[in-house]
Amino acid sequence: MSFTPKTSEYGIVFFDGVCNLCNGAVLFFIDHNPRGNLVFASLQSAAAERLLGKKTESGEIPSSVLFLEKGILYRKSEAVLRIANHLSFPWNSFFWMRIFPEFLRDFVYDRIARNRYRWFGKTEFCRLPTPALRSRFLDS
């Protein structure tokens, strides 16, 4: 698949490929995205480097999930809520949480992000998608 930020009909979820919480979230998003209009790339991938201008280097801890949709890059809580908008009911109803100020949402997001390795663990390497899911990942 070849995606460009301006012409893609897909939302691209960039995630920390070594984070167990992030990997679990990606599987959750896949399971609850019936339209199949979300695709995924780890922040450590060449796809992230190509589309974002850089990739996360080994040892560097990504601070945010990123979501690229219609040429606009969202981060932190805004990214998560925009991703939720693409999920099936009841998960898409979390989009209403945008009524809360972003600084409050990001405060909660930052606390979880800062502790995610301690609470959920991490792996040495980005996981490879199964053959059935390979088409949903960039650089697969």
Side-chain angles (χ1 to χ4, degrees):
M1 286 184 183
S2 177
F3 293 92
T4 60
K6 293 182 180 174
T7 62
S8 176
E9 294 178 18
Y10 296 85
I12 304 172
V13 178
F14 296 95
F15 64 99
D16 179 358
V18 298
C19 169
N20 289 337
L21 173 63
C22 302
N23 281 298
V26 166
L27 294 175
F28 181 86
F29 296 155
I30 289 170
D31 289 346
H32 294 90
N33 177 230
R35 292 176 283 172
N37 62 346
L38 295 176
V39 293
F40 305 88
S42 105
L43 286 164
Q44 294 88 352
S45 71
E49 183 174 31
R50 185 174 68 251
L51 294 170
L52 301 173
K54 73 171 240 160
K55 67 179 179 178
T56 303
E57 298 301 327
S58 178
E60 182 182 350
I61 299 174
S63 64
S64 180
V65 64
L66 301 174
F67 184 55
L68 182 62
E69 182 178 42
K70 298 178 182 170
I72 301 171
L73 187 64
Y74 302 98
R75 50 191 300 267
K76 296 188 178 189
S77 66
E78 188 66 24
V80 173
L81 294 177
R82 291 200 177 257
I83 292 165
N85 200 38
H86 290 270
L87 304 181
S88 58
F89 185 81
W91 311 109
N92 59 359
S93 62
F94 281 96
F95 192 66
W96 72 266
M97 293 181 75
R98 293 186 69 233
I99 66 170
F100 294 106
E102 189 171 11
F103 76 92
L104 289 177
R105 297 187 328 245
D106 283 350
F107 177 82
V108 173
Y109 181 96
D110 289 338
R111 294 306 149 289
I112 295 168
R114 186 175 302 133
N115 293 293
R116 70 186 185 276
Y117 293 155
R118 187 168 15 132
W119 294 343
F120 300 97
K122 72 183 221 175
T123 61
E124 287 287 319
F125 303 98
C126 296
R127 293 182 188 165
L128 295 175
T130 64
L133 296 178
R134 194 158 287 148
S135 67
R136 301 287 300 272
F137 288 81
L138 302 181
D139 279 357
S140 296

